Each structure stands twice: as structure tokens, then as C-alpha cells.
Amino acid sequence: REKYDIPLDKLVFVYGGNLGKPQGIDFLIDCLKSQENNQSVFFLIVGDGTEYHKINDYVTESKPANVKLMQRLPKEDYDMVVGACDIGMICLDHRFTIPNFPSRLLGYMQARLPVLALTDAVTDMGKVITGGNFGWWCESNSTEEVNNIIKEIENLELEILGKNAYQY
């Protein structure tokens, strides 16, 4: 965390991967905005793609204290950063009509991270995550629901969920 200036005393959510239209970046930005005053959490966004500029514009203009945006890292560095975070995030646009199961889920599980998935209702990823007891799911169209989940997460012991992810 020190190498990349990530706070040591906050609950760190990491989103890593493509930042494109299928990931529902506008919703992700809405979620980040809704958490701007939450001093106990930090969001690390790592990646690039066609919608990178939207998050970059938000971070540059709003200067949220609890969000850091980084472009793609070499795989070894990326894996180290993910391993230093507390919760992996997956975002998919809620309008998907064909099931999608992003492979980055496996990277989070390998790093023993619980997972917060904000996706469409068609994918069964949410059922896998909640059924395996290693994270949370909600449809990617309600920042209020995301905020409620984050409030719940702040009061939990995450190590057990991370072990569950790895074992699953």
C-alpha cells in the first residue's frame, strides 16, 4: 500500500480491469460519488479502456479524497496491489441480457478477497458469490443498495469471507 500511496487505515475496495461501456462506468462513478464523505473507505481503480476518461475526469474535477485512479499495471505489480486490498469489485452494466462471468473474479478469489459484484440480474455470478459466502451482490442500478452493502461491510470480519473465496 505504501508503494502506491494507498491508505493503511482504511477499508480498501479495488476495481481492476477494463473500464469500458460493458462495465457500467457511469454507475461506478455514481457509487464513488455517493461515498465521497465516507472517511473509512478507499476505492482504488486500476485499468484502462474506452471509458477511462470518464473516471479520470471525475477524479480530476472532484478530487475525492477516497478514490485513486491508476492506469494498467504490469501483472506482477497488479497482483501485489490486489493482494494488499480488502475487497475486490466487479461492475457490469445492469442492462446486460446475456450472462457474463468476468475472469477477474478468479484473481480476487486467488488473492483471498471477498467480492462486491454490481452487475446485471441475468448473470449467475451473484448467486455464486453469495452462495459461496464470499461476498455481496446487487444489481448495478441502485447506489442506495450499494451504500447499504458498504455500510454492512464496514462492520464485518472479512478474513473468513476471503478464505471462503479462496476455498471456493
mmCIF file of all heavy atoms in Angstrom, residues 15-29 48-51 55 90-96 100 102 104 118-119 140:
data_model
loop_
_atom_site.group_PDB
_atom_site.id
_atom_site.type_symbol
_atom_site.label_atom_id
_atom_site.label_comp_id
_atom_site.label_asym_id
_atom_site.label_seq_id
_atom_site.Cartn_x
_atom_site.Cartn_y
_atom_site.Cartn_z
ATOM 1 N N TYR A 15 -11.057 -2.079 -7.823
ATOM 2 C CA TYR A 15 -11.659 -2.465 -9.095
ATOM 3 C C TYR A 15 -10.507 -2.534 -10.076
ATOM 4 O O TYR A 15 -9.818 -1.526 -10.291
ATOM 5 C CB TYR A 15 -12.697 -1.447 -9.573
ATOM 6 C CG TYR A 15 -13.179 -1.791 -10.970
ATOM 7 C CD1 TYR A 15 -14.312 -2.574 -11.142
ATOM 8 C CD2 TYR A 15 -12.474 -1.385 -12.092
ATOM 9 C CE1 TYR A 15 -14.726 -2.925 -12.421
ATOM 10 C CE2 TYR A 15 -12.876 -1.740 -13.360
ATOM 11 C CZ TYR A 15 -13.995 -2.502 -13.517
ATOM 12 O OH TYR A 15 -14.389 -2.867 -14.778
ATOM 13 N N GLY A 16 -10.297 -3.690 -10.657
ATOM 14 C CA GLY A 16 -9.216 -3.825 -11.623
ATOM 15 C C GLY A 16 -9.728 -4.392 -12.922
ATOM 16 O O GLY A 16 -10.526 -5.328 -12.922
ATOM 17 N N GLY A 17 -9.269 -3.820 -14.011
ATOM 18 C CA GLY A 17 -9.638 -4.384 -15.307
ATOM 19 C C GLY A 17 -10.095 -3.350 -16.300
ATOM 20 O O GLY A 17 -9.760 -2.172 -16.211
ATOM 21 N N ASN A 18 -10.888 -3.831 -17.238
ATOM 22 C CA ASN A 18 -11.359 -2.990 -18.320
ATOM 23 C C ASN A 18 -12.312 -1.913 -17.806
ATOM 24 O O ASN A 18 -13.158 -2.176 -16.955
ATOM 25 C CB ASN A 18 -12.064 -3.851 -19.378
ATOM 26 C CG ASN A 18 -12.401 -3.070 -20.621
ATOM 27 O OD1 ASN A 18 -11.659 -2.193 -21.038
ATOM 28 N ND2 ASN A 18 -13.527 -3.378 -21.220
ATOM 29 N N LEU A 19 -12.139 -0.731 -18.305
ATOM 30 C CA LEU A 19 -13.030 0.391 -17.994
ATOM 31 C C LEU A 19 -13.736 0.784 -19.292
ATOM 32 O O LEU A 19 -13.424 1.791 -19.911
ATOM 33 C CB LEU A 19 -12.225 1.567 -17.426
ATOM 34 C CG LEU A 19 -11.472 1.280 -16.134
ATOM 35 C CD1 LEU A 19 -10.494 2.403 -15.799
ATOM 36 C CD2 LEU A 19 -12.438 1.061 -14.996
ATOM 37 N N GLY A 20 -14.673 -0.051 -19.689
ATOM 38 C CA GLY A 20 -15.391 0.162 -20.937
ATOM 39 C C GLY A 20 -16.886 0.266 -20.710
ATOM 40 O O GLY A 20 -17.369 0.188 -19.577
ATOM 41 N N LYS A 21 -17.622 0.415 -21.778
ATOM 42 C CA LYS A 21 -19.084 0.547 -21.674
ATOM 43 C C LYS A 21 -19.736 -0.656 -20.979
ATOM 44 O O LYS A 21 -20.636 -0.480 -20.172
ATOM 45 C CB LYS A 21 -19.691 0.779 -23.049
ATOM 46 C CG LYS A 21 -19.379 2.166 -23.589
ATOM 47 C CD LYS A 21 -20.296 2.525 -24.730
ATOM 48 C CE LYS A 21 -19.960 3.880 -25.309
ATOM 49 N NZ LYS A 21 -20.115 4.982 -24.390
ATOM 50 N N PRO A 22 -19.310 -1.896 -21.281
ATOM 51 C CA PRO A 22 -19.963 -3.044 -20.624
ATOM 52 C C PRO A 22 -19.824 -3.048 -19.102
ATOM 53 O O PRO A 22 -20.602 -3.698 -18.410
ATOM 54 C CB PRO A 22 -19.247 -4.261 -21.223
ATOM 55 C CG PRO A 22 -18.674 -3.781 -22.512
ATOM 56 C CD PRO A 22 -18.333 -2.332 -22.276
ATOM 57 N N GLN A 23 -18.854 -2.327 -18.568
ATOM 58 C CA GLN A 23 -18.630 -2.313 -17.128
ATOM 59 C C GLN A 23 -19.522 -1.311 -16.389
ATOM 60 O O GLN A 23 -19.464 -1.238 -15.169
ATOM 61 C CB GLN A 23 -17.153 -2.021 -16.814
ATOM 62 C CG GLN A 23 -16.237 -3.205 -17.075
ATOM 63 C CD GLN A 23 -16.099 -3.557 -18.540
ATOM 64 O OE1 GLN A 23 -15.943 -2.702 -19.395
ATOM 65 N NE2 GLN A 23 -16.184 -4.850 -18.848
ATOM 66 N N GLY A 24 -20.319 -0.570 -17.095
ATOM 67 C CA GLY A 24 -21.238 0.354 -16.427
ATOM 68 C C GLY A 24 -20.496 1.414 -15.631
ATOM 69 O O GLY A 24 -20.800 1.655 -14.463
ATOM 70 N N ILE A 25 -19.548 2.077 -16.250
ATOM 71 C CA ILE A 25 -18.675 3.038 -15.574
ATOM 72 C C ILE A 25 -19.451 4.219 -15.002
ATOM 73 O O ILE A 25 -19.108 4.734 -13.933
ATOM 74 C CB ILE A 25 -17.539 3.497 -16.510
ATOM 75 C CG1 ILE A 25 -16.676 2.287 -16.930
ATOM 76 C CG2 ILE A 25 -16.703 4.589 -15.879
ATOM 77 C CD1 ILE A 25 -16.101 1.481 -15.773
ATOM 78 N N ASP A 26 -20.512 4.638 -15.668
ATOM 79 C CA ASP A 26 -21.313 5.749 -15.118
ATOM 80 C C ASP A 26 -21.885 5.372 -13.751
ATOM 81 O O ASP A 26 -21.887 6.190 -12.825
ATOM 82 C CB ASP A 26 -22.445 6.133 -16.077
ATOM 83 C CG ASP A 26 -21.940 6.791 -17.355
ATOM 84 O OD1 ASP A 26 -20.889 7.461 -17.297
ATOM 85 O OD2 ASP A 26 -22.591 6.632 -18.396
ATOM 86 N N PHE A 27 -22.348 4.136 -13.604
ATOM 87 C CA PHE A 27 -22.864 3.684 -12.303
ATOM 88 C C PHE A 27 -21.739 3.603 -11.277
ATOM 89 O O PHE A 27 -21.915 4.014 -10.128
ATOM 90 C CB PHE A 27 -23.571 2.335 -12.435
ATOM 91 C CG PHE A 27 -24.114 1.848 -11.123
ATOM 92 C CD1 PHE A 27 -25.217 2.456 -10.545
ATOM 93 C CD2 PHE A 27 -23.511 0.796 -10.457
ATOM 94 C CE1 PHE A 27 -25.711 2.027 -9.316
ATOM 95 C CE2 PHE A 27 -24.003 0.355 -9.236
ATOM 96 C CZ PHE A 27 -25.103 0.973 -8.666
ATOM 97 N N LEU A 28 -20.587 3.110 -11.689
ATOM 98 C CA LEU A 28 -19.442 3.055 -10.773
ATOM 99 C C LEU A 28 -19.104 4.456 -10.268
ATOM 100 O O LEU A 28 -18.885 4.657 -9.067
ATOM 101 C CB LEU A 28 -18.227 2.425 -11.458
ATOM 102 C CG LEU A 28 -16.933 2.391 -10.644
ATOM 103 C CD1 LEU A 28 -17.109 1.622 -9.334
ATOM 104 C CD2 LEU A 28 -15.802 1.796 -11.474
ATOM 105 N N ILE A 29 -19.112 5.436 -11.149
ATOM 106 C CA ILE A 29 -18.837 6.823 -10.742
ATOM 107 C C ILE A 29 -19.912 7.315 -9.775
ATOM 108 O O ILE A 29 -19.597 7.966 -8.776
ATOM 109 C CB ILE A 29 -18.711 7.745 -11.976
ATOM 110 C CG1 ILE A 29 -17.441 7.391 -12.769
ATOM 111 C CG2 ILE A 29 -18.700 9.218 -11.558
ATOM 112 C CD1 ILE A 29 -17.343 8.055 -14.132
ATOM 113 N N ASP A 48 -7.707 0.464 -17.759
ATOM 114 C CA ASP A 48 -7.942 1.431 -18.819
ATOM 115 C C ASP A 48 -8.977 0.856 -19.767
ATOM 116 O O ASP A 48 -9.420 -0.263 -19.612
ATOM 117 C CB ASP A 48 -6.657 1.843 -19.540
ATOM 118 C CG ASP A 48 -5.819 0.672 -19.994
ATOM 119 O OD1 ASP A 48 -6.389 -0.361 -20.384
ATOM 120 O OD2 ASP A 48 -4.591 0.770 -19.970
ATOM 121 N N GLY A 49 -9.370 1.670 -20.704
ATOM 122 C CA GLY A 49 -10.408 1.283 -21.651
ATOM 123 C C GLY A 49 -11.099 2.511 -22.180
ATOM 124 O O GLY A 49 -10.723 3.649 -21.863
ATOM 125 N N THR A 50 -12.127 2.285 -22.956
ATOM 126 C CA THR A 50 -12.789 3.383 -23.658
ATOM 127 C C THR A 50 -13.453 4.389 -22.716
ATOM 128 O O THR A 50 -13.679 5.537 -23.102
ATOM 129 C CB THR A 50 -13.859 2.850 -24.631
ATOM 130 O OG1 THR A 50 -14.818 2.083 -23.896
ATOM 131 C CG2 THR A 50 -13.236 1.994 -25.718
ATOM 132 N N GLU A 51 -13.763 3.975 -21.472
ATOM 133 C CA GLU A 51 -14.428 4.874 -20.528
ATOM 134 C C GLU A 51 -13.475 5.389 -19.443
ATOM 135 O O GLU A 51 -13.918 6.048 -18.499
ATOM 136 C CB GLU A 51 -15.621 4.169 -19.878
ATOM 137 C CG GLU A 51 -16.625 3.615 -20.872
ATOM 138 C CD GLU A 51 -17.325 4.696 -21.668
ATOM 139 O OE1 GLU A 51 -18.144 5.409 -21.083
ATOM 140 O OE2 GLU A 51 -17.047 4.830 -22.878
ATOM 141 N N ILE A 55 -13.813 8.344 -15.664
ATOM 142 C CA ILE A 55 -13.358 8.276 -14.270
ATOM 143 C C ILE A 55 -12.242 9.278 -14.048
ATOM 144 O O ILE A 55 -12.188 9.945 -13.015
ATOM 145 C CB ILE A 55 -12.915 6.851 -13.889
ATOM 146 C CG1 ILE A 55 -14.112 5.917 -13.937
ATOM 147 C CG2 ILE A 55 -12.272 6.829 -12.508
ATOM 148 C CD1 ILE A 55 -13.830 4.504 -13.523
ATOM 149 N N ILE A 90 -16.435 -5.959 -8.850
ATOM 150 C CA ILE A 90 -16.745 -6.256 -10.244
ATOM 151 C C ILE A 90 -17.962 -5.425 -10.608
ATOM 152 O O ILE A 90 -18.935 -5.373 -9.853
ATOM 153 C CB ILE A 90 -17.040 -7.753 -10.439
ATOM 154 C CG1 ILE A 90 -15.764 -8.544 -10.184
ATOM 155 C CG2 ILE A 90 -17.610 -8.019 -11.826
ATOM 156 C CD1 ILE A 90 -15.921 -10.030 -10.268
ATOM 157 N N CYS A 91 -17.891 -4.768 -11.756
ATOM 158 C CA CYS A 91 -19.008 -3.946 -12.222
ATOM 159 C C CYS A 91 -19.360 -4.344 -13.649
ATOM 160 O O CYS A 91 -18.483 -4.464 -14.495
ATOM 161 C CB CYS A 91 -18.645 -2.464 -12.203
ATOM 162 S SG CYS A 91 -18.228 -1.848 -10.576
ATOM 163 N N LEU A 92 -20.639 -4.542 -13.865
ATOM 164 C CA LEU A 92 -21.172 -4.774 -15.202
ATOM 165 C C LEU A 92 -22.448 -3.962 -15.346
ATOM 166 O O LEU A 92 -23.203 -3.811 -14.387
ATOM 167 C CB LEU A 92 -21.498 -6.258 -15.416
ATOM 168 C CG LEU A 92 -20.326 -7.233 -15.422
ATOM 169 C CD1 LEU A 92 -20.836 -8.671 -15.464
ATOM 170 C CD2 LEU A 92 -19.407 -6.962 -16.595
ATOM 171 N N ASP A 93 -22.690 -3.463 -16.529
ATOM 172 C CA ASP A 93 -23.886 -2.675 -16.795
ATOM 173 C C ASP A 93 -25.137 -3.508 -16.506
ATOM 174 O O ASP A 93 -25.240 -4.661 -16.927
ATOM 175 C CB ASP A 93 -23.877 -2.220 -18.253
ATOM 176 C CG ASP A 93 -24.926 -1.172 -18.521
ATOM 177 O OD1 ASP A 93 -26.128 -1.496 -18.407
ATOM 178 O OD2 ASP A 93 -24.563 -0.034 -18.852
ATOM 179 N N HIS A 94 -26.092 -2.923 -15.806
ATOM 180 C CA HIS A 94 -27.307 -3.647 -15.413
ATOM 181 C C HIS A 94 -28.196 -4.017 -16.606
ATOM 182 O O HIS A 94 -29.113 -4.817 -16.468
ATOM 183 C CB HIS A 94 -28.116 -2.833 -14.392
ATOM 184 C CG HIS A 94 -28.855 -1.680 -14.976
ATOM 185 N ND1 HIS A 94 -28.256 -0.464 -15.211
ATOM 186 C CD2 HIS A 94 -30.136 -1.566 -15.391
ATOM 187 C CE1 HIS A 94 -29.139 0.359 -15.730
ATOM 188 N NE2 HIS A 94 -30.288 -0.281 -15.859
ATOM 189 N N ARG A 95 -27.913 -3.464 -17.767
ATOM 190 C CA ARG A 95 -28.755 -3.726 -18.939
ATOM 191 C C ARG A 95 -28.339 -4.964 -19.726
ATOM 192 O O ARG A 95 -28.983 -5.302 -20.724
ATOM 193 C CB ARG A 95 -28.755 -2.506 -19.854
ATOM 194 C CG ARG A 95 -29.391 -1.289 -19.179
ATOM 195 C CD ARG A 95 -29.205 -0.055 -19.979
ATOM 196 N NE ARG A 95 -27.773 0.280 -19.973
ATOM 197 C CZ ARG A 95 -27.251 1.352 -20.534
ATOM 198 N NH1 ARG A 95 -28.021 2.207 -21.160
ATOM 199 N NH2 ARG A 95 -25.952 1.575 -20.488
ATOM 200 N N PHE A 96 -27.289 -5.668 -19.290
ATOM 201 C CA PHE A 96 -26.896 -6.893 -19.986
ATOM 202 C C PHE A 96 -28.055 -7.869 -20.038
ATOM 203 O O PHE A 96 -28.783 -8.033 -19.062
ATOM 204 C CB PHE A 96 -25.722 -7.585 -19.290
ATOM 205 C CG PHE A 96 -24.369 -7.165 -19.779
ATOM 206 C CD1 PHE A 96 -23.305 -7.113 -18.897
ATOM 207 C CD2 PHE A 96 -24.134 -6.853 -21.103
ATOM 208 C CE1 PHE A 96 -22.047 -6.744 -19.325
ATOM 209 C CE2 PHE A 96 -22.883 -6.487 -21.543
ATOM 210 C CZ PHE A 96 -21.836 -6.427 -20.651
ATOM 211 N N ASN A 100 -22.775 -12.978 -18.268
ATOM 212 C CA ASN A 100 -21.362 -12.631 -18.373
ATOM 213 C C ASN A 100 -20.726 -12.994 -17.037
ATOM 214 O O ASN A 100 -21.291 -12.715 -15.978
ATOM 215 C CB ASN A 100 -21.247 -11.128 -18.654
ATOM 216 C CG ASN A 100 -19.841 -10.691 -18.970
ATOM 217 O OD1 ASN A 100 -18.876 -11.221 -18.449
ATOM 218 N ND2 ASN A 100 -19.731 -9.701 -19.823
ATOM 219 N N PRO A 102 -17.070 -12.395 -15.541
ATOM 220 C CA PRO A 102 -15.713 -11.882 -15.725
ATOM 221 C C PRO A 102 -14.653 -12.731 -15.021
ATOM 222 O O PRO A 102 -14.811 -13.109 -13.868
ATOM 223 C CB PRO A 102 -15.766 -10.481 -15.102
ATOM 224 C CG PRO A 102 -17.213 -10.127 -15.085
ATOM 225 C CD PRO A 102 -17.947 -11.422 -14.920
ATOM 226 N N ARG A 104 -11.895 -11.805 -13.891
ATOM 227 C CA ARG A 104 -11.198 -11.121 -12.794
ATOM 228 C C ARG A 104 -11.696 -11.607 -11.434
ATOM 229 O O ARG A 104 -11.024 -11.456 -10.430
ATOM 230 C CB ARG A 104 -11.280 -9.616 -12.942
ATOM 231 C CG ARG A 104 -12.381 -8.912 -12.205
ATOM 232 C CD ARG A 104 -12.304 -7.443 -12.436
ATOM 233 N NE ARG A 104 -12.394 -7.203 -13.857
ATOM 234 C CZ ARG A 104 -13.407 -6.603 -14.453
ATOM 235 N NH1 ARG A 104 -14.375 -6.110 -13.754
ATOM 236 N NH2 ARG A 104 -13.440 -6.460 -15.748
ATOM 237 N N LEU A 118 -21.433 -5.753 -8.622
ATOM 238 C CA LEU A 118 -22.510 -4.851 -9.027
ATOM 239 C C LEU A 118 -22.755 -5.151 -10.496
ATOM 240 O O LEU A 118 -21.989 -4.708 -11.352
ATOM 241 C CB LEU A 118 -22.093 -3.393 -8.825
ATOM 242 C CG LEU A 118 -21.401 -3.068 -7.502
ATOM 243 C CD1 LEU A 118 -20.870 -1.647 -7.503
ATOM 244 C CD2 LEU A 118 -22.345 -3.311 -6.352
ATOM 245 N N THR A 119 -23.789 -5.934 -10.779
ATOM 246 C CA THR A 119 -23.952 -6.447 -12.131
ATOM 247 C C THR A 119 -25.408 -6.402 -12.586
ATOM 248 O O THR A 119 -26.280 -5.926 -11.880
ATOM 249 C CB THR A 119 -23.467 -7.914 -12.216
ATOM 250 O OG1 THR A 119 -24.393 -8.759 -11.535
ATOM 251 C CG2 THR A 119 -22.068 -8.092 -11.648
ATOM 252 N N SER A 140 -26.690 -3.438 -10.631
ATOM 253 C CA SER A 140 -25.941 -2.186 -10.805
ATOM 254 C C SER A 140 -26.824 -1.039 -11.262
ATOM 255 O O SER A 140 -26.564 -0.395 -12.278
ATOM 256 C CB SER A 140 -24.780 -2.399 -11.784
ATOM 257 O OG SER A 140 -25.272 -2.888 -13.014
#
